[in-house]
Amino acid sequence: QKEVEQDPGPLSVPEGAIVSLNCTYSNSAFQYFMWYRQYSRKGPELLMYTYSSGNKEDGRFTAQVDKSSKYISLFIRDSQPSDSATYLCAMEGNTGTASKLTFGTGTRLQVTL
Amino acid sequence: EAQVTQNPRYLITVTGKKLTVTCSQNMNHEYMSWYRQDPGLGLRQIYYSMNVEVTDKGDVPEGYKVSRKEKRNFPLILESPSPNQTSLYFCASSLYAGGGDEQFFGPGTRLTVL
């Protein structure tokens, strides 16, 4: 079983839709939760960062972490064609095997006009 | 401009021919890392470096070497490439290791080994 599971998609939605992207994980030592966005032929870029449980909002993007369920989500409101990319969840802890960044496999999102 | 650069961006080579992929960052970051990205497997760490002259294996180090002689540079060396090393490679850096520090990624190097 992988430490981080992420549905690879692809996920296709019409412009303006609300998008929900999710990851589950098994290592309870993870404390830092991130979403990276990767456009085609580019390197990943940090989109959202959350420490421990809770919600964080930044414009059209909301990140949620539920440590009790080992489940994290990224919501995109009013999705735009420019949001078309692969979204990678990533997690990190402080000690032992959790002290390095562990990525999900990524979900490819296509927002259509 | 703060950035991580990699060269070459694309490389086609043959089995057994030694190659080096360079990585450089201009942000004075201590932590640098190499990843490979494969369909269905995501980003997997190959090697990382906590600082100059300090390197360690990641999840998939077999067949790769690295060195960190200067803070800004972290080259990836394939002494005898094989077809299973055909992949998309990313170098990344962050100010420090751990603690949720943002990693900055290079543009990627697409390597094909025939």
Side-chain angles (χ1 to χ4, degrees):
Chain A
Q1 185 191 3
K2 291 179 182 174
E3 272 192 301
V4 179
E5 299 276 1
Q6 184 175 9
D7 188 330
L11 183 61
S12 183
V13 300
E15 184 179 8
I18 296 174
V19 176
S20 172
L21 304 168
N22 311 294
C23 288
T24 58
Y25 64 95
S26 56
N27 192 335
S28 57
F30 287 143
Q31 296 184 53
Y32 305 93
F33 303 91
M34 287 144 276
W35 287 94
Y36 280 79
R37 180 173 60 194
Q38 185 177 17
Y39 289 114
S40 183
R41 302 184 190 279
K42 301 279 190 183
E45 295 175 307
L46 183 65
L47 182 63
M48 297 284 286
Y49 160 84
T50 309
Y51 172 70
S52 194
S53 282
N55 294 356
K56 186 171 184 178
E57 190 172 320
D58 184 1
R60 297 185 294 110
F61 299 89
T62 300
Q64 286 187 351
V65 175
D66 182 348
K67 290 188 72 177
S68 62
S69 302
K70 295 190 178 67
Y71 188 87
I72 73 169
S73 300
L74 177 70
F75 297 96
I76 306 174
R77 290 183 299 281
D78 187 25
S79 55
Q80 303 294 310
S82 59
D83 295 328
S84 298
T86 296
Y87 291 80
L88 303 154
C89 62
M91 308 175 189
E92 192 170 31
N94 276 332
T95 59
T97 57
S99 63
K100 67 175 180 65
L101 200 58
T102 300
F103 286 88
T105 52
T107 299
R108 190 154 59 92
L109 171 67
Q110 178 88 29
V111 180
T112 57
L113 291 168
Chain B
E1 181 190 353
Q3 60 182 348
V4 178
T5 56
Q6 293 179 231
N7 282 293
R9 294 290 313 278
Y10 302 91
L11 179 60
I12 300 175
T13 190
V14 295
T15 298
K17 186 176 182 181
K18 180 179 178 180
L19 66 93
T20 299
V21 184
T22 64
C23 172
S24 184
Q25 50 92 5
N26 61 0
M27 295 170 279
N28 203 35
H29 284 171
E30 290 192 356
Y31 184 85
M32 297 186 74
S33 181
W34 276 102
Y35 296 89
R36 60 178 290 174
Q37 188 174 37
D38 302 288
L41 297 176
L43 279 163
R44 294 179 293 166
Q45 191 180 56
I46 303 170
Y47 268 95
Y48 65 93
S49 169
M50 304 281 278
N51 213 323
V52 176
E53 303 289 4
V54 181
T55 63
D56 208 345
K57 296 176 182 178
D59 296 319
V60 288
E62 293 77 21
Y64 304 95
K65 284 175 58 177
V66 293
S67 68
R68 186 98 181 268
K69 294 184 170 55
E70 305 164 283
K71 198 170 188 178
R72 63 183 294 130
N73 295 324
F74 190 45
L76 179 70
I77 303 154
L78 284 72
E79 294 268 3
S80 182
S82 63
N84 65 11
Q85 293 177 297
T86 292
S87 187
L88 180 57
Y89 291 86
F90 288 101
C91 180
S93 73
S94 61
L95 190 56
Y96 302 113
D101 219 16
E102 177 180 0
Q103 291 207 19
F104 293 83
F105 285 81
T109 295
R110 185 166 292 281
L111 172 66
T112 301
V113 183
L114 301 175

